[in-house]
Amino acid sequence: MRPHEETISVGGIDVHAWIGGQGDPLLVLHGAGGNRGWTRWVQQVSEHFTVWAPTHPGFGRSGDADWMEGIDDLARFYLWFIDAAGLGRPHVLGHSIGGWTAAEMAAMSPPSIGRLVLVAPVGLKPETGEILDVFYYPPPQLLDLTVHDPKTIPEWDELFGRKPTPPELEIATRNREMAARLTWKPYMHNPRLARFLPRVTNPTLIVWGREDRIVPVECGEQYRRLLPHATLTVREKCGHLPPIEQPDAFARLVLDFLPAPLPAAPGHARS
Amino acid sequence: MKLYYFSEMPHHEFPDEEGEKYPSLRLELPNRFFSPQKAAANYQRYLTEYEFADQAGFDGLMINEHHSTPSCVNVGVNMTAAILARTTKRGKLLLLGNILPIEDNPVRTAEQIAMADLISGGRVLSGFVRGIGIETWWANTNPVHNRERFEECHDLILKCWTEPGPFRWEGRHYHFRHVNPWCLPLQKPHPPIWIPGSASPETAVWAGRRGYTYVPFLVPFDIARELFDFYRQGAAEAGRAVTADNLGFLICAVTADTKAKAVEAGRHFVWRMGPTLRGPAEYFAPVGMRSRAGAQFALKTRPRSLAQMSYEELLAGHFIIAGTPDEVAERFAYVQRELGVGHLLLEAQESRMDHPTTMRSIELMGAKVIPALATV
């Protein structure tokens, strides 16, 4: 399926989504920066999985969700999305607040999802460090803190290299507002999540950047300890955006972790 | 036109070069620069000045509240109101005001304002403010909820004052199962409500609908007129007439025996226009705190920020008025003619303006300026 955009109505909210690829469904949940669309790593993974990359309610071109109060609301909403979109039992990959959302979904309903990929997720309070207060910094300064080295990022120019247009600025503001709505207090974590993570029996891959200045790597260790079937991979010379900073290596990690699709027999639809 | 005396109770007793090392004096200047000894003396001094302003003939004493900043160490508007309620006799106590969005218990706020009103013999003017972003960080209240919480907190306070308890409150942000305050205002149906503004058209319309006294702070005259138009629009929607008593304006002002002395003293106000407002936009207006309309209007409000203006420009724009009693009386009358306001709030002490200078200014205002304005 060629990548295309759709609007899917769930619970009265029109959810904008990128959809494309082939194979079992993989639900991709973006971080606080918003849905970056069909980027390089998504293209590579979509050669083996059907990627569903919705834009969170309140973000980008999705409808408003002023009633939402926290990431647990978003997680419950995406469990509904899975039903509404007919995804069956998708694998779920989430980055940052999307990773937190994925972890909450798995803790709420392990049988609803297949495998779990958590990329630098927030959601747990670090034991010693702190999650950077992303709302305290002007966006350009925050971007500097988010990545390790712009020079190594293949899609830098395309994603960050030009001045945003007024509509793009409007969307960026909207994204920040919704992120604030969902994560302001307790800041970027759910004090009760750790109690529920041991329920998550789904095989889980955790990916982190060694130089992540937004969410300390120790949070990855916490997730690994609390999730019964999790491995942690820490990428060197990488900040908070492994899928963007190291797209090829990231796509390979994901493809190595997710179960290889069965070869489709002629005349048989793969279940 | 009524005159009000106001001091932010600054704590400007640290080396300025230390302050410049931090992105902002608010939130970031470490409180190791706070001196309990100096602050203890300052509070006595500032309260004395307020009491003297009451004796000198000011119509009211304005008090405000900020947090995590040396520009204002009045950290409890209701605490100060309670003190002045006992130590002053005449003037109104203008609380401008309680920062509603960061309040977690509006019932307590309603009780505290009521208590100040009772102690003062019904002299409280109860201002409600949304606060600047600094207070949102200080209280860690979600800025996205700022306006919703302001309005809901206001509604609950008003209900506490005007409807018999016990009753239940189950709102979006506030939940109380047993509301029955045993402390109600002396003034009926409740103390007059004042609302400040500098940027949000919505706030002006909202205040106009309710007939509250509306006071722009330190904005150019044309912006004040535009905000007053929004106020009138709200008032018209509710079928309310707008009089001068509904409108106020805040400026900085000082007088002295000579023009030279007054102009010298007035320089202290530059600190509050520049250094104390320095810092990232995220500190002062965190994401979601302002509506799109408010954000756009804010840009228009100060095409050049106060911080960018020279002292001379601040004087020319009437952000600061400094002169002999005759001169400031003439300027105040000019402000009244230009804006049609019934209340002029004077930020009358700032930064390192010393006690004798402040007291002399108060004395001259009482002896010469206030009488001169009696018919304005």
Side-chain angles (χ1 to χ4, degrees), chain B residues 17-310:
Chain B
E17 58 272 24
E18 289 295 331
E20 288 162 13
K21 292 177 183 172
Y22 300 89
S24 177
L25 293 183
R26 306 195 190 222
L27 295 172
E28 289 292 334
L29 179 67
N31 64 0
R32 65 187 162 87
F33 292 108
F34 178 85
S35 161
Q37 288 70 32
K38 288 171 180 166
N42 277 349
Y43 283 125
Q44 296 300 330
R45 172 204 153 173
Y46 292 142
L47 290 166
T48 297
E49 289 163 0
Y50 268 115
E51 288 152 11
F52 186 50
D54 180 58
Q55 295 156 15
F58 276 85
D59 296 285
L61 310 174
M62 171 183 158
I63 43 190
N64 77 336
E65 169 177 332
H66 282 285
H67 299 276
S68 202
T69 174
S71 64
C72 174
V73 296
N74 192 351
V75 294
V77 73
N78 299 330
M79 288 175 68
T80 311
I83 295 166
L84 294 176
R86 273 287 285 180
T87 61
T88 66
K89 300 294 171 212
R90 237 185 19 78
K92 299 287 188 185
L93 302 177
L94 171 56
L95 288 60
L96 204 54
N98 276 282
I99 308 165
L100 301 193
I102 65 170
E103 285 297 340
D104 284 331
N105 189 338
V107 181
R108 180 199 288 270
T109 306
E111 290 174 341
Q112 290 183 344
I113 300 167
M115 189 165 159
D117 194 49
L118 292 160
I119 296 171
S120 69
R123 288 186 285 136
V124 163
L125 304 174
S126 177
F128 294 142
V129 310
R130 287 176 62 207
I132 56 173
I134 305 297
E135 275 61 54
T136 282
W137 290 110
W138 172 80
N140 199 17
T141 307
N142 196 329
V144 169
H145 295 150
N146 185 279
R147 182 167 294 280
E148 286 176 18
R149 285 176 63 100
F150 175 83
E151 293 190 11
E152 186 178 337
C153 186
H154 160 272
D155 293 349
L156 178 48
I157 290 171
L158 265 283
K159 185 161 180 170
C160 284
W161 286 345
T162 57
E163 293 193 24
F167 62 84
R168 181 178 288 210
W169 186 275
E170 298 286 359
R172 172 160 187 187
H173 299 288
Y174 299 104
H175 306 267
F176 295 90
R177 299 213 292 278
H178 304 281
V179 183
N180 191 26
W182 263 77
C183 185
L184 296 167
L186 187 62
Q187 298 178 84
K188 296 299 172 194
H190 55 76
I193 292 172
W194 287 43
I195 306 288
S198 60
S200 292
E202 299 100 317
T203 302
V205 172
W206 182 91
R209 284 191 193 122
R210 286 160 181 78
Y212 297 159
T213 300
Y214 178 69
V215 190
F217 281 11
L218 290 168
V219 295
F221 284 176
D222 55 340
I223 296 294
R225 288 190 197 97
E226 205 169 335
L227 289 167
F228 287 147
D229 284 344
F230 282 114
Y231 180 91
R232 289 190 182 90
Q233 177 190 322
E237 286 170 18
R240 292 179 184 277
V242 178
T243 69
D245 196 45
N246 294 115
L247 308 176
F249 195 59
L250 182 140
I251 55 168
C252 297
V254 63
T255 187
D257 292 295
T258 66
K259 183 178 180 75
K261 279 185 184 173
V263 168
E264 190 54 35
R267 287 186 186 279
H268 290 290
F269 293 116
V270 176
W271 184 64
R272 65 97 62 230
M273 311 285 184
T276 75
L277 295 176
R278 180 175 60 82
E282 282 71 18
Y283 293 12
F284 291 89
V287 64
M289 188 161 161
R290 276 186 181 146
S291 68
R292 298 293 189 282
Q296 281 168 9
F297 196 81
L299 288 176
K300 190 161 89 175
T301 302
R302 299 194 180 99
R304 292 183 69 214
S305 73
L306 296 172
Q308 292 169 311
M309 294 186 197
S310 66

Side-chain angles (χ1 to χ4, degrees), chain A residues 66-69 133 135-139 170 173-174 176-178 180-185 187, chain B residues 27-28 104 136-137 139-145 148 172-173 280 282-283 286-288 290 292:
Chain A
D66 292 352
W67 52 269
M68 282 194 184
E69 298 277 339
D133 192 339
F135 302 111
Y136 202 58
Y137 294 90
E170 172 66 22
T173 300
R174 189 162 187 263
R176 278 165 71 84
E177 284 179 4
M178 191 63 190
R181 184 179 292 281
L182 295 173
T183 66
W184 193 269
K185 190 166 72 173
Y187 177 63
Chain B
L27 295 172
E28 289 292 334
D104 284 331
T136 282
W137 290 110
N140 199 17
T141 307
N142 196 329
V144 169
H145 295 150
E148 286 176 18
R172 172 160 187 187
H173 299 288
E282 282 71 18
Y283 293 12
V287 64
R290 276 186 181 146
R292 298 293 189 282

Side-chain angles (χ1 to χ4, degrees), chain A:
Chain A
M1 190 183 357
R2 289 168 59 82
H4 65 283
E5 294 173 82
E6 272 187 33
T7 300
I8 299 158
S9 182
V10 181
I13 297 174
D14 286 338
V15 181
H16 163 263
W18 282 92
I19 303 162
Q22 56 188 348
D24 292 340
L26 170 66
L27 178 64
V28 174
L29 303 178
H30 64 77
N35 193 343
R36 298 187 204 281
W38 214 255
T39 52
R40 180 160 161 160
W41 78 271
V42 177
Q43 174 59 34
Q44 291 176 26
V45 169
S46 72
E47 288 166 15
H48 304 275
F49 293 89
T50 304
V51 172
W52 291 71
T55 303
H56 305 332
F59 284 74
R61 283 179 279 147
S62 284
D64 287 334
D66 292 352
W67 52 269
M68 282 194 184
E69 298 277 339
I71 290 292
D72 51 342
D73 289 334
L74 191 61
R76 225 173 296 167
F77 180 84
Y78 274 123
L79 288 170
W80 192 357
F81 178 94
I82 288 173
D83 296 343
L87 299 190
R89 190 163 175 257
H91 305 303
V92 180
L93 180 156
H95 171 239
S96 198
I97 66 167
W100 177 9
T101 309
E104 294 274 3
M105 290 166 71
M108 285 173 188
S109 181
S112 295
I113 64 177
R115 291 194 171 203
L116 194 58
V117 182
L118 304 178
V119 189
V122 284
L124 295 175
K125 184 165 86 80
E127 284 164 2
T128 56
E130 290 176 350
I131 299 171
L132 187 86
D133 192 339
V134 297
F135 302 111
Y136 202 58
Y137 294 90
Q141 194 180 347
L142 183 62
L143 181 60
D144 288 344
L145 290 163
T146 301
V147 299
H148 173 59
D149 182 1
K151 291 194 292 295
T152 65
I153 299 175
E155 296 163 292
W156 179 265
D157 288 346
E158 191 180 333
L159 292 172
F160 308 111
R162 63 177 174 78
K163 206 176 160 202
T165 63
E168 286 168 342
L169 277 177
E170 172 66 22
I171 281 183
T173 300
R174 189 162 187 263
N175 291 349
R176 278 165 71 84
E177 284 179 4
M178 191 63 190
R181 184 179 292 281
L182 295 173
T183 66
W184 193 269
K185 190 166 72 173
Y187 177 63
M188 288 285 176
H189 73 282
N190 171 1
R192 296 170 297 283
L193 179 59
R195 298 283 183 175
F196 286 110
L197 288 179
R199 186 189 177 199
V200 179
T201 49
N202 314 58
T204 304
L205 170 68
I206 306 163
V207 182
W208 228 281
R210 177 76 68 198
E211 280 74 38
D212 192 328
R213 286 175 286 173
I214 308 290
V215 192
V217 184
E218 64 164 299
C219 290
E221 294 288 347
Q222 285 175 280
Y223 269 107
R224 189 190 54 73
R225 279 200 307 275
L226 291 161
L227 290 163
H229 299 292
T231 57
L232 170 64
T233 297
V234 179
R235 301 291 310 171
E236 303 297 329
K237 296 181 180 171
C238 183
H240 186 58
L241 303 181
I244 299 298
E245 293 180 65
Q246 301 182 358
D248 301 340
F250 179 75
R252 178 49 47 203
L253 276 175
V254 172
L255 290 172
D256 286 348
F257 169 70
L258 295 180
L262 296 170
H268 288 81
R270 197 159 41 79
S271 61

